[in-house]
Amino acid sequence: LPNCIDTLVTKKFGVTLPTMIGEIDQNGTLQFPNVPLNISFDGVKDLGAFLLYGCFSHSPVVISVSFPDLENASGDYGLSHSFDTCPNLTNVTFPKLKTITGYETFLNSFNNNTGLTSISFPELTTVSGDVATGDDTVISNSFANSFQNCTNLITASFPKLSSVTGRQDCTAFLANCTSLTTVDLSGMIDVEANAAFAQAFSGCTSLTTVYLNNLETVTNINGFNQTCAGCIALTSLNLGKLSTISGSQAFYGAFFGCINLNSVDFSALSEISGTNAFQYAFYNCSSLTSLSFPSLTVNGLGTVTNQFDGMLVGCTNVTVHFPSVLQSTLSSWTSINNGFGGTNTTVLFDLPVTA
């Protein structure tokens, strides 16, 4: 490779090409470099297409990755598979990154990294791969599976992330992080695309705290499908500002198998519409005793009558509270009369009408 390229890499990233790429052994096989790599992509403010696609995948020597100046990630496949399965990677920093808009930009970028214990994206506000595709029917996967299977990850922080609008953009992005205890998504307002947050935390068996207290809307098919499935340590979730859940199977299996869950705040939820929108939402949530929907309205139910089918399968002795004005509408629904599939379910229309 030309010396000018070697010099450029040395200036930009602090390593020479032979060190970064590795050496060729006596059999002509390219080997990973044999010195630890602390890589800092200084001065990079946006990602070009395929910039680092798969470049350091399975590298045993990368220990730290930093993008100190990166503000936007708009290049398709820019970091896709770039640092997945790096067994000694312990630190990842994106202090200025604000938007992720490329197609599959972070897909599988850092998954299977068992050395990571915490991640923080303090300035990230938007994940929207549809910006790149120009078509919301295309699966954009911008952040999908990005930190999946990081089994020693304990905390994940995205305090300013407010909207996820690309199809499957955050699908399983923290799935199976079995040591994860806390996720900060306190700035999240809108989840708008097909499967945008599906399985996001599924299999996170140590998860106890998820900050989604400002979330207002979950719309489109499968938006929160199995989002917290298998989170057996989760006992409560504050969704006190969530007003709209719409779209087929939008909350399907959202808390599937959360056996210690006993409380979810739906105090502002006025709309649950779409075929099977809440189907199996609390499947096998064996510690759940009560659900309340004080703000739900007749108009908010839409035109279908099956949004609650199977909502409480595997649950026993749960009391579900609705506003009194819904009794004439809901009393004939099959799901109401069979206790949402649960055992000994009590349905009460005992809540006052909210303003």
Side-chain angles (χ1 to χ4, degrees):
L1 291 170
N3 289 335
C4 62
I5 296 179
D6 195 358
T7 301
L8 175 62
V9 172
T10 302
K11 284 183 178 179
K12 278 288 186 186
F13 309 135
V15 291
T16 61
L17 280 176
T19 302
M20 179 183 281
I21 297 176
E23 304 288 351
I24 298 176
D25 66 14
Q26 60 184 0
N27 297 316
T29 302
L30 182 65
Q31 300 295 316
F32 277 115
N34 56 11
V35 294
L37 291 181
N38 293 284
I39 306 175
S40 182
F41 293 85
D42 298 340
V44 177
K45 294 186 177 182
D46 200 348
L47 294 178
F50 293 92
L51 178 67
L52 291 172
Y53 185 94
C55 279
F56 297 94
S57 176
H58 292 77
S59 169
V61 296
V62 177
I63 61 175
S64 176
V65 178
S66 177
F67 287 82
D69 302 304
L70 185 67
E71 296 180 0
N72 304 298
S74 62
D76 296 350
Y77 308 100
L79 288 178
S80 183
H81 298 273
S82 55
F83 294 95
D84 73 276
T85 321
C86 295
N88 294 302
L89 180 63
T90 59
N91 187 45
V92 174
T93 56
F94 291 87
K96 295 182 180 180
L97 181 61
K98 296 178 181 178
T99 61
I100 298 173
T101 58
Y103 177 76
E104 296 193 357
T105 305
F106 271 75
L107 177 67
N108 294 315
S109 52
F110 295 96
N111 67 337
N112 299 319
N113 285 320
T114 57
L116 288 176
T117 58
S118 67
I119 55 171
S120 178
F121 288 72
E123 299 298 324
L124 183 63
T125 61
T126 304
V127 178
S128 180
D130 292 341
V131 172
T133 64
D135 184 353
D136 63 8
T137 66
V138 174
I139 299 174
S140 55
N141 280 331
S142 290
F143 211 57
N145 308 333
S146 49
F147 291 93
Q148 185 179 32
N149 299 324
C150 292
T151 54
N152 288 304
L153 188 67
I154 298 172
T155 61
S157 180
F158 309 86
K160 294 184 180 181
L161 180 58
S162 61
S163 64
V164 178
T165 60
R167 192 173 184 185
Q168 295 189 15
D169 268 358
C170 283
T171 293
F173 79 118
L174 292 168
N176 299 322
C177 293
T178 53
S179 298
L180 186 66
T181 63
T182 305
V183 179
D184 184 356
L185 288 162
S186 53
M188 181 66 69
I189 297 173
D190 300 312
V191 176
E192 299 180 6
N194 188 330
F197 242 69
Q199 302 177 13
F201 319 118
S202 64
C204 293
T205 54
S206 299
L207 188 64
T208 59
T209 305
V210 182
Y211 294 105
L212 281 167
N213 48 294
N214 287 304
L215 181 65
E216 295 179 3
T217 60
V218 175
T219 58
N220 219 312
I221 299 170
N222 297 316
F224 248 59
N225 189 314
Q226 301 182 65
T227 295
C228 294
C231 294
I232 58 175
L234 190 66
T235 60
S236 64
L237 186 62
N238 179 3
L239 295 175
K241 290 188 178 181
L242 180 61
S243 63
T244 302
I245 296 174
S246 65
S248 176
Q249 298 188 336
F251 241 66
Y252 181 99
F255 301 100
F256 190 107
C258 293
I259 57 175
N260 288 300
L261 185 71
N262 58 58
S263 175
V264 180
D265 184 352
F266 290 120
S267 55
L269 188 58
S270 61
E271 177 181 347
I272 303 175
S273 61
T275 301
N276 302 128
F278 247 59
Q279 189 173 32
Y280 303 129
F282 299 97
Y283 189 103
N284 279 347
C285 292
S286 52
S287 297
L288 190 67
T289 60
S290 179
L291 284 173
S292 184
F293 302 96
S295 299
L296 194 59
T297 67
V298 173
N299 289 337
L301 295 171
T303 59
V304 300
T305 62
N306 62 358
Q307 44 268 72
F308 297 110
D309 284 6
M311 178 177 72
L312 295 176
V313 170
C315 301
T316 303
N317 297 323
V318 179
T319 300
V320 183
H321 302 267
F322 290 104
S324 58
V325 295
L326 294 184
Q327 185 166 3
S328 60
T329 300
L330 296 181
S331 58
S332 63
W333 286 19
T334 300
S335 58
I336 298 287
N337 292 317
N338 71 12
F340 309 106
T343 302
N344 296 326
T345 304
T346 300
V347 179
L348 298 176
F349 296 92
D350 59 345
L351 300 178
V353 177
T354 57

